[in-house]
Amino acid sequence: MPEAHAVRRDRLRARVAATGADAALITNLVNVRYLTGFTGSNAALLVFSAVPDGAERGSGTVLATDGRYVTQVAEQAPDIELVVERACAPALATRAADAGVRRLAVEEHAVTVEMYRTLGEAAKGVDRVALGRAVEELRRVKDADEIATLRIACEIGDQAIAEMIESILVGRTERHIALELERRMADHGADCPAFPTIVASGPHSAVPHHSPGDRRVEDGDFLKIDFGACYRGYHADMTRTFVIGNEPADWQVEVYDVVFAAQKAGREALAPGVETAAVHRAAKDVIDAAGYGEYFPHGLGHGVGLEIHEDPRMGPTSSGKLDACMPVTVEPGIYLPGRGGVRIEDTLVVRPPEDGGPELLTITTKELLVL
């Protein structure tokens, strides 16, 4: 998508110019990918704040990587000038100095103290200023192609879990179920899991981020599965909680119903202009009213995209507002130590009411299923 990447770089130029800098040095590999399409493991990007009038597409941008990726750059970022150098960021800092840059904006959160000093040595006489998380802020709102890719990632997860719950799970280990689910996602086109799959059975379901182990699933267990597919770099996220074997106990139904209602309240609160903390409160109030507030220890959700956890964050102390075309998760939970827990999570895209409200991307049923 050379055109889309060029548009993103132009949006960044406006941010760079606003800082008074002449150029920005991008060292976060995810941000390099967002701005160029390049997916290699070693790269940095120099984006000048202005492009000369009449210049060809791609002018004003220099990508550095090492010799392993020359062919890959030609395929993924053919419109960008290439510098072949293993020490990518220092090479571009020197290039900036040679080009007459006097103020260079740097992603201070993405470089070590040692690298920050190295950049100063590579670009003597150049003032380094903070770029902040300018690219991450641009990434919050997705374009149509990004949302379409994320929609496919979510469809892959829906297909995989639909197949899994048709099989016999009782007696299988958590680790086996996790590996099987990841294999099924791969069969449906996933590049890889979006994150390490969480499979938590029985008392383990009370651990929000339990690592799958050798415990075998038993009748009467809650089985909590938190998973997602990564497709063309975009990460899906979904959690479903089931009961195994027997009809659920009264306490299981009660806890599940509270989380179900809280998740619905959180989803319905999503709209452009809404404070992120207010969305968290909408779900938390439901859990508090039911007397389980102390058992909901995390934020309601987060953005997803080229990373599994992106801005915006929706928690009790989060700041900022939602905007249209932000993909986010809504994932309240109740976790009762030693007994079991429930989390229900969807990935949705924020849409205004006139466009039908939030778009649900993960469509697997949220009714309490007995497997």
Side-chain angles (χ1 to χ4, degrees), residues 293-306:
E294 65 181 296
Y295 303 110
F296 177 28
H298 56 76
L300 181 64
H302 54 85
V304 292
L306 288 172

Side-chain angles (χ1 to χ4, degrees), residues 19-170:
T19 70
D22 303 306
L25 180 62
I26 308 302
T27 50
N28 181 329
L29 283 174
V30 178
N31 290 342
V32 171
R33 177 174 186 167
Y34 176 75
L35 294 168
T36 68
F38 177 64
T39 61
S41 65
N42 182 34
L45 187 70
L46 183 64
V47 179
F48 291 92
S49 60
V51 177
D53 292 339
E56 295 182 0
R57 187 182 69 182
S59 298
T61 307
V62 185
L63 176 68
T65 188
D66 62 71
R68 295 172 295 170
Y69 296 113
V70 172
T71 300
Q72 187 173 332
V73 170
E75 295 173 350
Q76 295 180 331
D79 59 332
I80 297 176
E81 181 183 348
L82 174 64
V83 168
V84 181
E85 176 62 59
R86 179 167 288 277
C88 300
L92 292 184
T94 300
R95 174 63 178 271
D98 292 343
V101 167
R102 289 294 170 258
R103 288 170 59 86
L104 179 64
V106 177
E107 293 184 308
E108 294 181 338
H109 63 286
V111 298
T112 63
V113 173
E114 179 183 27
M115 177 56 72
Y116 191 79
R117 291 171 179 163
T118 300
L119 294 178
E121 295 167 359
K124 293 187 182 300
V126 176
D127 292 333
R128 287 156 294 162
V129 299
L131 179 63
R133 298 178 181 269
V135 183
E136 286 88 345
E137 291 170 5
L138 293 175
R139 286 166 44 197
R140 289 159 55 102
V141 174
K142 271 61 174 181
D143 62 33
D145 287 335
E146 291 179 288
I147 292 173
T149 302
L150 185 57
R151 189 179 291 114
I152 294 172
C154 291
E155 290 172 355
I156 290 170
D158 282 319
Q159 292 170 325
I161 195 66
E163 294 174 354
M164 284 295 299
I165 63 178
E166 290 297 321
S167 61
I168 297 174
L169 300 180
V170 67

Side-chain angles (χ1 to χ4, degrees), residues 88-295:
C88 300
L92 292 184
T94 300
R95 174 63 178 271
D98 292 343
V101 167
R102 289 294 170 258
R103 288 170 59 86
L104 179 64
V106 177
E107 293 184 308
E108 294 181 338
H109 63 286
V111 298
T112 63
V113 173
E114 179 183 27
M115 177 56 72
Y116 191 79
R117 291 171 179 163
T118 300
L119 294 178
E121 295 167 359
K124 293 187 182 300
V126 176
D127 292 333
R128 287 156 294 162
V129 299
L131 179 63
R133 298 178 181 269
V135 183
E136 286 88 345
E137 291 170 5
L138 293 175
R139 286 166 44 197
R140 289 159 55 102
V141 174
K142 271 61 174 181
D143 62 33
D145 287 335
E146 291 179 288
I147 292 173
T149 302
L150 185 57
R151 189 179 291 114
I152 294 172
C154 291
E155 290 172 355
I156 290 170
D158 282 319
Q159 292 170 325
I161 195 66
E163 294 174 354
M164 284 295 299
I165 63 178
E166 290 297 321
S167 61
I168 297 174
L169 300 180
V170 67
R172 298 169 69 177
T173 68
E174 296 168 338
R175 182 179 291 110
H176 184 202
I177 293 171
L179 291 172
E180 177 69 11
L181 183 57
E182 291 175 357
R183 184 191 67 78
R184 290 180 183 273
M185 287 192 290
D187 288 346
H188 287 289
D191 299 331
C192 60
F195 53 90
T197 299
I198 296 170
V199 176
S201 63
H204 291 168
S205 62
V207 180
H209 277 192
H210 171 72
S211 296
D214 293 328
R215 186 185 186 278
R216 295 185 181 277
V217 174
E218 300 176 359
D219 284 342
D221 280 351
F222 265 142
L223 180 64
K224 183 183 69 192
I225 303 179
D226 186 345
F227 69 105
C230 181
Y231 177 74
R232 295 186 178 178
Y234 284 80
H235 297 69
D237 202 353
M238 174 167 60
T239 306
R240 294 294 185 265
T241 305
F242 310 99
V243 170
I244 298 297
N246 302 316
E247 287 299 311
D250 290 345
W251 72 270
Q252 290 176 315
V253 173
E254 178 181 326
V255 170
Y256 194 93
D257 285 349
V258 173
V259 176
F260 184 92
Q263 210 259 354
K264 183 173 184 289
R267 286 188 286 114
E268 292 177 346
L270 296 175
V274 175
E275 295 281 350
T276 54
V279 182
H280 174 86
R281 285 197 302 273
K284 182 67 159 52
D285 286 348
V286 174
I287 295 175
D288 286 345
Y292 290 101
E294 65 181 296
Y295 303 110

